[in-house]
Amino acid sequence: MPRKVGIVPHTHWDREWYAPFQRYRAQLVHLVDDLLDLLEADPSFTRFLLDGQTAVIDDYLAIRPDALDRVRALTRDRRVQVGPWMILMDEFMVSGETIVRNLQHGLTRTSELGGDAAMLVGYLPDMFGHIAQMPQLLRLAGLEHAVVWRGVPAAIDRTAFWWRAPDGSTVRAEYLYGSYSNGRDIPKDPDQLVARARGYDAELGPAALAGGDMLLMNGSDHLLPQPWLGEVVAEANDRQDDYRFVVTSLAEYARAQPTEGLPTWDGELRSGARANVLMGVASHRVDVHQLAARAERSLERYAEPLSALLLPPDQYPGVLLDVGWRQLILNSAHDSSCACSADDVVEAVRVRYQEARHVGEALTREAVRTLATTVDVPPSSTIVVNSTARDRGGVISVPLPGRGPVHLVALDDGAAVPTQLVRTTTTDEGISTIVVGQKIRWVLEMMRGPELAGARIARVEHRTLDDGRERIEEFTFHDAAPGETDLDLEATREELLALGEAGATISVRQRRAAVREVLVAPGSVPGFGWRSYRAVDGPGPSTEVRADALTLENEHVRAVVDPTDGTIAVTVDGVTVSGLNRYVDGGDGGDTYNYSPPTVDTVVDRPESVDVTVTESGPVRARIVVVAQYSLPAHAIGDERSCSARSDELVPATVVTTYELRTDERFLRVHVELDHRVRDHRLRTHFPLPTRVHGSDAECAFAVVHRGLDAEGGAHELGLPTFVSRRFVDCSGA
């Protein structure tokens, strides 16, 4: 019986990578134009996979909206496979919720395009490794099969295996032996196609499944379909009986493959044994990863729950939330979220993350403002809202008018809460402009709009200045302090209008009243609830948070800075660990994907000088700032692929570390600022552990994952045992 060879024609479409999105889209439009013509003209070209992501279709239809009916007809006939994802994301660089929304958006769009013709296969061809809970997410979405390439460990010795999530959910995973390009460039000659199949058969060897077929993925990055595929397949089948070639889809292929006797793999796929998983992307372009976290938190943790909690159903901002989520999902693409693309692409990624955050922040403000205008509390109250399901406390920053000590008192039980005055400001911020003649109408509009109408103005000063060159009519608007009465500005508007009509030069300035920035520890706030507080002049209750010279201390933690190297010793529950947070700079000849150690390295792990300053000493927050001066090698010696050593030329480097302790927290916060002035290097922080460990536990998407001390690498990638996490890593209780 001939061995069946499934051929899946496809293109792998990176939406942006070494070229920006719009340049790639210009190529995409030509590709899909040709693809539609080909499929409609040649019935023997029965299938084509558009990379398992609906963004490819939407990007095309944005330019060719008149092609929608053609696309729908081909997807309904299952000749074009779309979905299940909106974008082929990186699973470790984004939150679990972003992955879920990606799948939801993809399945919804797939249904719109092709009815029930969605490709119900978890297509994961080029992600830089896979999270442990992916089988559970796929099963919850109704998908029983996955297709993977990167990350499969050496222990998997077949082209398929059972992949099991921590919760026990299992999918059958087809391993793309040789990558998603193992069948690219199918020759026009049928004899050569047969020879190609015979060579791949030999390459598989014992990895091939007994009773199973062979899978050739006919495509690669941004490749056009090969129009002769249907013809050469038919001719090859006519000429021999060893192999039967079939143009198919992944769903059809996977359903027909054996399920008995497959090995099982539990948890995440992070091995570089056969394919690079690009282990260095997590620490590259940290600014992008920080923007991602802020944007996801803005939508997930604030805007959505607070809008659902505080707004009437008919005011729920679903469309705006979709705008924010679309930006997050598009950015989750593996080459985008990993920030391993060209600089133009990274800048576009940064903009999308910021736009998503802006949506979240705007909707959060609207939801909280709705609460503030409807809840029955005195007008000057401060309302603290908890957007999470569990009761929680913490520290918040609140602006309060006035000067001098102040604290907050809870309205529900009358308890005073710890409050710390950080600073008092009184500035000339706001409107500060010079206008001439009729342009004064701009200022008059501001006085009727939010710029000045949103403030309480107590008085207006008008004086005439003459600097020898021109005469200036200066108006200064003073914000009302507590207890002052608002001023009716109508007479001032008339005076300004008269001066403008006379062609005068007018300077307008707003002087703001004193505002105190205070930190408040409001106590426990109910889950999905709120508490209200009023401001009372005078100091509030004290806490155990304090800073003195080199020491930070609260109810649970004591931290002492070493003035010789800037590291810190932390004591919790009677256990002290010293030498924490040591900065270690070494050479790196790698790229934006991987670390490449120099043959001879120069490691710098001690500063030349250290300056320690206490900047805040409680009662809510205490801070010590450590400024350390280093001299680092300016660059590595070698070519763009590797480096042999580091240069003797040294450049100064300043690292500013803020150690922070808050009331009732059982951990120390560390904030680091530095200006990278050296090339071809990596900067790490070292944390000695109190006892020897055999691994670590870290939060990832919907799971806590255990990792060992080693990472599996391969011939082309060093197994680097530094792993991606979400909110915490736990080692030996540290």
Side-chain angles (χ1 to χ4, degrees), residues 315-337:
Q315 294 180 23
Y316 186 76
V319 175
L320 273 172
L321 285 167
D322 283 346
V323 169
W325 273 112
R326 178 174 174 79
Q327 300 296 67
L328 280 184
I329 296 170
L330 290 176
N331 265 4
S332 70
H334 48 284
D335 293 309
S336 304
S337 60

Side-chain angles (χ1 to χ4, degrees), residues 407-427:
H407 66 280
L408 294 188
V409 174
L411 295 183
D412 52 6
D413 61 7
V417 297
T419 308
Q420 177 178 329
L421 177 61
V422 177
R423 66 180 62 86
T424 301
T425 59
T426 175
T427 68

